[in-house]
Amino acid sequence: MTQYGVDLFLVLILASLGLSALAIFISVSRRRHHSRAAASQASGDDFATEAARKVLREFEKNGQSVDAALVTWSPDTLRKILADELPDAQVIVVSNREPYIHNETKDGGVELVVPASGLVSALEPITRACGGTWIAYGGGSADRTVVDRNDRVQVPPENPSYTLRRVWLSDDEYQGYYLGFANEGLWPLCHIAFTRPIFRESDWEAYEAVNRKFAETVVAEARNERPIVLVQDYHFALLPRMIRERLPEAIVITFWHIPWPNSEVFSICPWRERILDGLLGSSIMGFHTQFHANNFTESVDRFMESRIERADAAVSYGGQVTLVHSYPISIEWPAELLKALPSVEECRARVRRRFNIPADAKLCVGVERLDYTKGILDRFHALEELFIRHPETIGNVVFLQIAAPSRGTLPAYKHLHEECLRYAEELNQRYGGQSYQPVVMVAEHHSQAAVYELYRAADICLVTSLHDGMNLVAKEFVASRDDEQGVLLLSTFAGASRELLEALIVNPYDAAMMSEAMLQALTMGPDEQHERMRRMRDIVRDNNVFRWAGSMLLDAARLRKRGDLDRVTALYERPAGPTGDNVVSMFERKQAVGFR
Ligand code: F6P
């Protein structure tokens, strides 16, 4: 059989097994392989056999396809899934934070800001690839001036490829829904950071009203009754049910970007059943880790009249099925903005000049929103512990902390900001001098390009969250280091630690342990750095954000096909015969409606 014959054979077999998506992927990856392997027929044959074996092995093992493992994930792969598996489906993304904020400048102009948000850095390349509409709260001071009369603006500004539809909120709505219920209630409830959640009836009412406002906007933006709606995060727990009521045929994929607590912790929320009911309006509920998916299922099992289908990772509730899966989020690969950045050497020089860092000092960086879940103070504790245990490091290490102000009107965030500034100041007084300041704390927003420049300049990147769904800073640092140097210190309580095993994994609550890990990082030789970084780069490249979105879209396509099949079957429903509703009678029904 020729090479193409082998391919065709594989594709036909898999398609006939009902694995059409998988067949397409093999055909994609095989085609890619063909162009490379034209010179080597023999190795091509090996590839075909190996690919087939891998598929069958994994298929037998999991009862699921391994489409994801066989593909180099890119914007093209996503477009192909949409075109082949979900033809004519309109993609609608819903999030609180918008991908582009227009702000007024002091001189009366308008500046464009890309917010410091993992959600935005992950979803933006996806939406660019899929087109469609992104619905979000318009919070910029110049947002209203740049939209058309339907509150829409085409983005990205330099090369528009999708529509941003802005939703306006009153001060009261913003206060109750975003600052109140989402960020003083759900945020501390879901993160183990020992900050007490605050639940107020008025916040809940605002949260419900704003979710309804977004549901109406989704309906208004939907071109037909069957869009694919990607609902993002804890701001919209009620939205999936509201969409389902208005657009029963929509596929609603909800992704919860933060951890989900165990059912005991979740039970303290006064509206726990309403939240679960809202989320179970989703066709798919996604989490970063299996652990959080399990916590969710456990909460449903405990508080809702439902059936848990463990083997299928699904919940059946109110006559509807929701898949509950883990899809580890990631970043664009290769990162588009890397192309515009200078060499690592040049980035080092620039950053050291800008922050006045001595040429011979090792540079540690931390980059995040100024949030109590990120463990910024714990990092300062570890630095002090390092200086106490290993005084020879004083003068030889500088810690640069970039912290984008976030939710700054809330007391917990104000308090954190003050504490960070106070502790940084103390460390500088205790261990610094005229020409040496061990801590540089910059509480300002930085553009993504500036952040990547810092990553490239760093000897060590510290990601020491007390609790984090995934944490994309860890993955961005790895992506930025095409020189395969630099050490990542990573909290065991960040979802990223499940994938980036070659990082130095730390417990942020243990300052002594963290200080020893910092010493290990400071003294690590280039060969070990290279070995660790290379492996982490392989992981982030293979599990990039296109794979994250692609896996969810493939699951959505399977659901849609199953739903279509069930609908047609139901049309031809007839009472069970004397032998009951067995396989034979089902087969007959399908024959009657033309299924082969
Ligand atoms: O971490 C959860 C999350 O929603 C992220 O997805 C996002 O990066 C961040 O919080 C956004 O915070 P905010 O929009 O409140 O500044």
Side-chain angles (χ1 to χ4, degrees):
M1 205 184 277
T2 66
Q3 182 66 68
Y4 282 92
V6 172
D7 291 341
L8 191 62
F9 183 56
L10 269 172
V11 169
L12 285 175
I13 288 185
L14 291 168
S16 71
L17 282 171
L19 299 174
S20 58
L22 180 53
I24 280 165
F25 273 123
I26 292 181
S27 116
V28 169
S29 67
R30 300 293 296 115
R31 230 174 287 141
R32 218 185 45 233
H33 178 74
H34 286 154
S35 53
R36 266 187 277 130
S40 166
Q41 180 70 32
S43 68
D45 287 343
D46 290 350
F47 181 90
T49 320
E50 187 43 40
R53 269 203 216 106
K54 197 168 176 183
V55 171
L56 293 172
R57 230 179 8 241
E58 294 292 327
F59 186 70
E60 279 162 15
K61 199 167 67 192
N62 303 328
Q64 286 179 356
S65 68
V66 281
D67 36 18
L70 292 171
V71 179
T72 300
W73 288 85
S74 68
D76 280 345
T77 331
L78 277 190
R79 282 189 279 264
K80 183 143 180 64
I81 295 176
L82 282 172
D84 294 353
E85 296 295 298
L86 294 158
D88 304 325
Q90 177 196 8
V91 175
I92 301 178
V93 176
V94 187
S95 72
N96 172 70
R97 189 60 69 194
E98 55 184 343
Y100 295 96
I101 304 176
H102 289 93
N103 278 333
E104 284 164 5
T105 56
K106 287 197 189 100
D107 58 3
V110 172
E111 69 168 358
L112 191 72
V113 176
V114 175
S117 156
L119 180 156
V120 167
S121 32
L123 261 292
E124 216 281 328
I126 299 298
T127 321
R128 251 189 282 135
C130 300
T133 301
W134 185 327
I135 301 172
Y137 158 57
S141 53
D143 273 355
R144 284 174 195 263
T145 59
V146 299
V147 293
D148 65 14
R149 58 196 174 84
N150 296 311
D151 299 326
R152 298 181 185 138
V153 55
Q154 301 306 311
V155 289
E158 69 283 1
N159 183 18
S161 52
Y162 64 95
T163 304
L164 172 59
R165 165 71 199 269
R166 287 179 168 144
V167 175
W168 315 116
L169 300 181
S170 68
D171 288 349
D172 284 351
E173 284 173 328
Y174 179 77
Q175 176 67 42
Y177 136 84
Y178 171 76
L179 290 173
F181 194 72
N183 285 318
E184 284 191 298
L186 289 179
W187 181 266
L189 179 75
C190 292
H191 289 91
I192 306 173
F194 305 99
T195 299
R196 192 183 194 282
I198 301 170
F199 295 114
R200 302 180 194 90
E201 180 89 30
S202 56
D203 290 347
W204 169 254
E205 283 163 10
Y207 185 83
E208 192 175 5
V210 171
N211 272 244
R212 184 137 337 259
K213 193 179 239 189
F214 274 82
E216 274 151 23
T217 313
V218 170
V219 174
E221 290 295 328
R223 281 198 304 267
N224 59 42
E225 302 207 319
R226 314 184 90 207
I228 299 200
V229 190
L230 306 175
V231 175
Q232 305 302 310
D233 234 348
Y234 60 101
H235 311 89
F236 296 116
L238 303 179
L239 183 58
R241 169 76 50 216
M242 292 171 176
I243 297 173
R244 171 82 43 236
E245 281 162 2
R246 302 282 299 277
L247 298 170
E249 305 230 345
I251 293 257
V252 182
I253 304 178
T254 302
F255 197 82
W256 196 261
H257 288 258
I258 61 177
W260 188 277
N262 69 43
S263 65
E264 190 72 6
V265 170
F266 182 68
S267 75
I268 70 173
C269 177
W271 299 281
R272 61 193 184 197
E273 288 88 359
R274 291 287 314 282
I275 287 175
L276 292 173
D277 174 78
L279 290 170
L280 290 174
S282 314
S283 324
I284 299 177
M285 245 335 268
F287 296 89
H288 294 300
T289 66
Q290 191 54 47
F291 189 68
H292 297 142
N294 293 348
N295 278 352
F296 175 79
T297 307
E298 189 201 324
S299 303
V300 172
D301 200 14
R302 184 157 164 194
F303 299 114
M304 309 301 278
E305 284 289 329
S306 58
R307 199 174 65 241
I308 310 297
E309 312 278 4
R310 293 199 192 275
D312 298 333
V315 169
S316 179
Y317 167 73
Q320 191 214 319
V321 173
T322 302
L323 295 186
V324 182
H325 278 196
S326 69
Y327 304 91
I329 204 170
S330 193
I331 55 166
E332 183 184 34
W333 185 288
E336 190 61 29
L337 50 74
L338 261 186
K339 289 183 196 153
L341 282 178
S343 68
V344 165
E345 279 318 305
E346 178 58 23
C347 291
R348 285 173 75 88
R350 284 191 196 182
V351 169
R352 279 163 191 270
R353 258 197 314 275
R354 187 172 332 130
F355 295 102
N356 206 13
I357 295 165
D360 51 352
K362 295 266 187 182
L363 176 61
C364 307
V365 300
V367 178
E368 45 253 307
R369 288 181 306 105
L370 193 38
D371 194 295
Y372 54 79
T373 59
K374 301 294 180 185
I376 299 173
L377 287 171
D378 304 85
R379 232 168 270 172
F380 289 172
H381 277 297
L383 183 68
E384 176 146 40
E385 192 71 24
L386 176 77
F387 289 158
I388 293 168
R389 289 167 167 249
H390 304 282
E392 71 282 6
T393 57
I394 300 171
N396 294 324
V397 49
V398 171
F399 178 46
L400 172 57
Q401 175 66 54
I402 302 296
S406 179
R407 309 167 193 173
T409 54
L410 295 179
Y413 288 78
K414 270 193 208 152
H415 181 65
L416 174 75
H417 194 162
E418 287 159 13
E419 277 291 283
C420 287
L421 292 177
R422 187 191 54 73
Y423 200 179
E425 182 63 34
E426 271 178 31
L427 287 171
N428 284 339
Q429 274 170 11
R430 275 205 283 277
Y431 303 101
Q434 262 199 336
S435 60
Y436 170 67
Q437 296 279 278
V439 181
V440 180
M441 162 109 192
V442 190
E444 281 166 20
H445 176 77
H446 283 61
S447 71
Q448 273 295 86
V451 166
Y452 267 69
E453 188 180 68
L454 287 181
Y455 294 144
R456 282 164 79 74
D459 295 296
I460 302 168
C461 179
L462 286 99
V463 176
T464 59
S465 320
L466 302 182
H467 204 193
D468 224 327
M470 172 55 70
N471 195 296
L472 291 182
V473 166
K475 293 187 175 181
E476 286 173 357
F477 174 63
V478 167
S480 78
R481 298 311 294 260
D482 47 12
D483 63 333
E484 300 185 336
Q485 290 293 295
V487 184
L488 175 64
L489 242 79
L490 179 58
S491 166
T492 187
F493 306 121
S497 68
R498 300 286 160 267
E499 291 175 80
L500 302 178
L501 304 178
E502 287 76 22
L504 300 184
I505 306 290
V506 294
N507 172 359
Y509 291 91
D510 186 343
M513 182 239 208
M514 273 225 280
S515 72
E516 291 306 325
M518 283 173 85
L519 186 70
Q520 186 185 347
L522 288 169
T523 53
M524 190 183 288
D527 289 350
E528 185 176 347
Q529 289 186 38
H530 165 80
E531 196 50 34
R532 288 173 183 268
M533 186 54 84
R534 192 180 55 74
R535 289 193 207 174
M536 291 193 287
R537 285 174 64 78
D538 286 349
I539 296 284
V540 180
R541 184 199 57 224
D542 291 350
N543 300 341
N544 64 25
V545 76
F546 303 109
R547 178 172 178 175
W548 172 74
S551 312
M552 287 190 285
L553 289 177
L554 276 177
D555 283 345
R558 289 183 193 111
L559 282 181
R560 174 145 282 170
K561 282 180 189 157
R562 200 185 302 162
D564 289 348
L565 189 69
D566 288 349
R567 241 187 315 281
V568 180
T569 308
L571 267 181
Y572 289 83
E573 201 74 41
R574 63 176 191 199
T579 52
D581 198 5
N582 60 19
V583 174
V584 174
S585 60
M586 277 173 63
F587 177 75
E588 283 169 357
R589 277 206 304 278
K590 284 176 186 166
Q591 290 285 78
V593 295
F595 279 95
R596 295 284 179 275

